[in-house]
Amino acid sequence: MSVNLASQLREGTKKSHSMAENVGFVKCFLKGVVEKNSYRKLVGNLYFVYSAMEEEMAKFKDHPILSHIYFPELNRKQSLEQDLQFYYGPNWRQEVKISSAGQAYVDRVREVAATAPELLVAHSYTRYLGDLSGGQILKKIAQNAMNLHEGGTAFYEFADIDDEKAFKNTYRQAMNDLPIDQATAERIVDEANAAFAMNMKMFNELEGNLIKAIGIMVFNSLTRRRSQGSTEVGLATSES
């Protein structure tokens, strides 16, 4: 019997989703204030996170649970490599360093894969459905805010997916059809909330650079009130 995991994840992460949207860095981003140095550090962290997640998902592509949501067309590692070359140049591999929050996120992905691989469902859901939901909106914000005419936003482009809305429906149905019980579904929801928290810590690390660039008064004016903006935040994770 289906446990409707997609619905449970949507409902069970609503609070975390709202909290993520109201992190200062994300609120500024949604309002069109993006500082290039902070943003490229975020891209660097995401590169390490997605590399770990996609490596582990590939290991478990024949797993009785994970095989149902193994869609290589979602992979972001190569797109992030393109963006890092754009922001850092050809020697980007020597330039890019993972932050402490990014490392904690990677460590958790590795730990889950080694001890309870079914929980990778939570990490896949939290990242990919958010990317698909808000990608085009965030791409335009980034292009306008950083005056990007060509390059730097490959992360938001899913070249191997023709219809993103239809794909999201396929993905949700695959999650609903997973051969899991209710106890496992609840553990996956808990892990998704943990993933939100790890994402928020990465965003919080970037606020110092952003404040230096735009000034504390501007930052405070942009973040003072609780955002009522878009719920489609691929940056902040998860779906609308």
Side-chain angles (χ1 to χ4, degrees), residues 3-5 8-9 119 180-191:
V3 296
N4 290 317
L5 178 61
Q8 290 195 50
L9 280 164
L119 297 185
I180 59 174
D181 57 19
Q182 181 57 30
T184 302
E186 290 171 5
R187 289 169 56 231
I188 291 171
V189 173
D190 288 343
E191 187 66 23

Side-chain angles (χ1 to χ4, degrees), residues 42-53:
L42 173 63
V43 173
N45 269 338
L46 292 177
Y47 167 74
F48 290 108
V49 170
Y50 279 90
S51 295
M53 188 169 69

